[in-house]
């Protein structure tokens, strides 16, 4: 028998999965790209030895990343995706009827091509949707260009901040300040934020949250269990309080007074999904009850978020293992 081992914590914790096959193993200009199949999780995209998403539970990650932000925004029309090579994040954004354009910029064309060919279930036809504009390039450089315009929602589905990895610059305060300038009034940004479990939340999750707090007035941390990652996984959603801005307040969540965790907003989520999505029943993970669980963090993690002092900069990066 063959096995795929992935180290979750250095010299401390490894998960082992029975390996059925290796369909792809190539080196791109930026990273090692593999598509494997394991017994518990099925087809899996692996970059530089780290699981990115697996057929068995990719929907958990992608629904969790996308829908809290798009339901919080009252009328999302233009969405930017940084990264997202599997095209599943685009799939989830395009489920929203109000969305008129999704701009996706991924650095690694090899990853995108491999996923199109070998992981079509992730794509689910999103590349055939005329609302999707797919570009291969640097996600930060694209936003710096004034011609890129502004966005209602920015979704950062980027690689983990691994030392010497291609995405380390996309977790810094300077980058978040750029993101802030590219959001329309009432705009929202959401990013994947690394491991968020009780034993590894301090790796980068709390630092990413604190860095966002240095740029945005409202930042919410949340997590969900993703079995193929071997851990709870962290996400951060952020926006600015601009109640004096009439355009912004008109686009804020339907029930801004309670925030994204407020009962009024949460109680309305199922009705919003039914009204906003082309096929509301297609979601397998996200709904109002799941939303409550996402934002209900264990005490030890909440304390870690409150006590975090690190702010990620180019000069003081933070890496996950």
């Amino acid at each position: 028998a063959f096995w795929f081992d992935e180290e979750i914590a250095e010299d401390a914790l490894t998960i082992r999965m029975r390996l059925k096959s290796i369909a792809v193993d190539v080196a791109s200009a930026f990273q090692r790209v593999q598509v494997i199949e394991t017994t518990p999780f099925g087809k899996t995209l692996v970059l530089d030895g780290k699981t990115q998403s697996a057929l068995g539970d990719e929907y958990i990650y992608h629904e969790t990343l996308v829908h809290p932000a798009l339901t919080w925004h009252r009328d999302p029309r233009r969405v930017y995706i940084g990264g997202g090579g599997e095209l599943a994040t685009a799939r989830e954004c395009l489920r929203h009827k109000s969305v008129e354009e999704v701009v996706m910029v991924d650095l690694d064309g090899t990853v995108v091509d491999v996923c199109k060919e070998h992981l079509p279930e992730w794509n689910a036809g999103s590349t055939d949707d005329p609302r999707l504009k797919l570009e291969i390039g640097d996600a930060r450089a694209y936003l710096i260009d004034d011609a890129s315009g502004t966005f209602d929602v920015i979704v950062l589905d980027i690689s983990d901040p691994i030392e010497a990895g291609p995405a380390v610059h996309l977790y810094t305060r300077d980058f978040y300040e750029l993101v802030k300038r590219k959001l329309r009034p009432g705009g929202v940004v959401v990013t994947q934020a690394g491991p968020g479990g009780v034993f590894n939340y301090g790796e980068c999750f709390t630092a990413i949250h604190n860095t966002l707090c240095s740029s945005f007035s409202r930042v919410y941390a949340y997590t969900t269990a993703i079995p193929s990652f071997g851990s709870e996984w962290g996400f951060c959603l952020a926006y600015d309080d601009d109640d004096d801005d009439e355009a912004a307040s008109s686009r804020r969540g339907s029930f801004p007074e309670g925030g994204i965790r407020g009962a009024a907003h949460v109680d309305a989520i199922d009705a919003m999904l039914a009204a906003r999505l082309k096929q509301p029943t297609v979601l397998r993970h996200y709904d109002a009850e799941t939303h409550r669980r996402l934002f209900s963090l264990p005490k030890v993690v909440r304390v870690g978020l409150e006590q975090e002092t690190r702010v990620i900069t180019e000069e003081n990066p933070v890496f996950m293992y």
Side-chain angles (χ1 to χ4, degrees):
F2 294 93
W3 298 87
F4 173 67
D5 291 352
E6 181 173 347
E7 201 165 23
I8 304 301
E10 187 175 9
D11 296 327
L13 178 63
T14 297
I15 59 172
R16 165 169 281 200
M17 295 152 278
R18 188 176 295 278
L19 181 65
K20 298 177 70 175
S21 65
I22 301 175
V24 177
D25 191 350
V26 298
S28 77
F30 305 99
Q31 55 203 335
R32 183 182 183 184
V33 182
Q34 296 172 291
V35 175
I36 67 173
E37 184 175 358
T38 71
T39 298
F41 302 118
K43 289 192 291 185
T44 302
L45 175 67
V46 181
L47 300 180
D48 283 339
K50 294 289 187 181
T51 294
Q52 303 301 301
S53 60
L55 183 61
D57 59 9
E58 62 83 9
Y59 66 94
I60 300 175
Y61 172 89
H62 292 106
E63 290 183 21
T64 300
L65 176 66
V66 168
H67 295 297
L70 265 73
T71 53
W72 178 245
H73 195 287
R74 192 172 287 183
D75 188 29
R77 295 184 179 274
R78 192 163 191 250
V79 179
Y80 179 77
I81 300 172
E86 303 103 310
L87 291 156
T89 297
R91 175 195 75 205
E92 295 303 323
C93 292
L94 290 165
R95 295 195 195 282
H96 287 255
K97 292 183 289 187
S98 67
V99 170
E100 298 170 350
E101 182 181 40
V102 173
V103 178
M104 173 185 152
V105 181
D106 193 287
L107 183 65
D108 199 333
T110 299
V111 171
V112 175
D113 290 341
V114 164
C115 291
K116 285 181 180 179
E117 180 178 354
H118 295 276
L119 306 175
E121 302 91 336
W122 279 249
N123 180 340
S126 61
T127 51
D128 298 326
D129 193 314
R131 296 176 294 162
L132 177 64
K133 178 182 178 182
L134 172 59
E135 295 203 9
I136 303 302
D138 185 290
R140 179 172 60 172
Y142 185 91
L143 290 177
I144 290 173
D145 186 349
D146 289 340
S148 62
T150 55
F151 301 88
D152 296 305
V153 180
I154 292 178
V155 183
L156 299 174
D157 183 16
I158 49 183
S159 301
D160 299 323
I162 298 172
E163 190 168 7
V168 292
H169 305 292
L170 305 183
Y171 293 93
T172 64
R173 178 167 55 190
D174 283 347
F175 179 68
Y176 293 145
E177 288 294 326
L178 169 62
V179 165
K180 183 175 180 176
R181 295 193 297 271
K182 301 301 287 190
L183 286 172
R184 293 173 173 175
V188 182
V189 60
V190 63
T191 184
Q192 78 93 3
V198 295
F199 66 93
N200 56 11
Y201 64 84
E203 204 167 312
C204 62
F205 177 44
T206 54
I208 292 169
H209 175 267
N210 196 54
T211 304
L212 280 164
C213 287
S214 72
S215 295
F216 292 89
S217 58
R218 295 287 183 182
V219 183
Y220 295 93
Y222 62 105
T223 69
T224 196
I226 302 177
S228 64
F229 289 4
S231 174
E232 284 275 321
W233 209 255
F235 304 82
C236 291
L237 182 152
Y239 61 87
D240 263 339
D241 265 334
D242 32 25
D243 295 334
D244 294 334
D245 187 322
E246 185 175 344
S249 60
S250 70
R251 292 186 172 187
R252 184 67 68 233
S254 301
F255 303 96
E257 66 279 359
I260 200 166
R261 293 194 298 252
H265 172 70
V266 177
D267 289 345
I269 284 175
D270 288 342
M272 284 192 288
L273 292 173
R276 294 185 181 195
L277 300 191
K278 290 183 173 182
Q279 297 175 294
T281 59
V282 77
L283 297 188
R284 300 168 61 190
H285 183 66
Y286 183 73
D287 64 3
E289 192 64 28
T290 298
H291 184 99
R292 290 186 181 92
R293 180 259 179 262
L294 296 178
F295 289 87
S296 298
L297 302 180
K299 181 178 179 180
V300 65
V301 178
R302 299 198 309 271
V303 171
L305 290 163
E306 292 168 3
Q307 295 181 344
E308 180 62 74
T309 60
R310 292 172 294 173
V311 172
I312 304 170
T313 63
E314 295 287 347
E315 298 75 25
N316 295 289
V318 170
F319 304 117
M320 65 166 279
Y321 176 70

